[in-house]
Amino acid sequence: PASNTRSEKNYGKMGFCMSCARTPSRMEQTVELRSGIQMPIFGLGTWLAKGKGECLQACQWAINAGYRMIDTAALYKNEEDVGQALQELKLDREDYFIVTKLHWDCHGREN
């Protein structure tokens, strides 16, 4: 009906908003850090992904889907998979953002 707001004219045959397709992807949105560096606001969290393959596949999928930030930590024991995914996809270093955490017992000069 003409009163249907989800008309084919506005949403296309596939059912997604055509005006949304013309706006920048939320995956591309960033926030400016105090240092002036732009950090993507969406990223892949890897804390539940197991190393030795599971995290590798998740990172590859996420990067191919447009994610440009990956959140990891040594405690997760999957940083090797994150690095392998980035190397295999041959992204330039400035094209992605890595967030990691330092465990409290690793602080200090001796560590």
Side-chain angles (χ1 to χ4, degrees):
S3 63
N4 185 353
T5 58
R6 297 192 65 123
S7 68
E8 190 173 303
K9 178 182 173 195
N10 293 330
Y11 283 83
K13 292 182 180 180
M14 299 305 290
F16 64 88
C17 178
M18 300 306 283
S19 64
C20 296
R22 290 187 290 271
T23 59
S25 166
R26 291 194 185 271
M27 299 298 283
E28 297 169 4
Q29 290 182 332
T30 61
V31 62
E32 185 172 332
L33 303 178
R34 287 176 42 186
S35 63
I37 294 172
Q38 296 292 319
M39 181 180 84
I41 62 171
F42 288 101
L44 174 69
T46 63
W47 73 282
L48 291 178
K50 308 274 188 288
K52 305 299 180 215
E54 182 179 83
C55 184
L56 173 64
Q57 288 180 321
C59 289
Q60 290 169 333
W61 176 88
I63 292 165
N64 284 327
Y67 285 72
R68 289 300 178 257
M69 191 236 309
I70 298 177
D71 177 19
T72 188
L75 187 65
Y76 305 165
K77 299 185 183 344
N78 60 22
E79 289 180 314
E80 190 174 314
D81 276 12
V82 172
Q84 183 178 345
L86 294 168
Q87 285 178 338
E88 287 178 3
L89 293 169
K90 296 181 176 33
L91 293 174
D92 292 332
R93 179 58 185 98
E94 59 272 2
D95 292 339
Y96 58 89
F97 198 95
I98 301 294
V99 176
T100 191
K101 277 77 66 192
L102 184 61
H103 196 264
W104 66 269
D105 65 354
C106 294
H107 293 239
R109 292 180 190 262
E110 61 279 350
N111 294 320

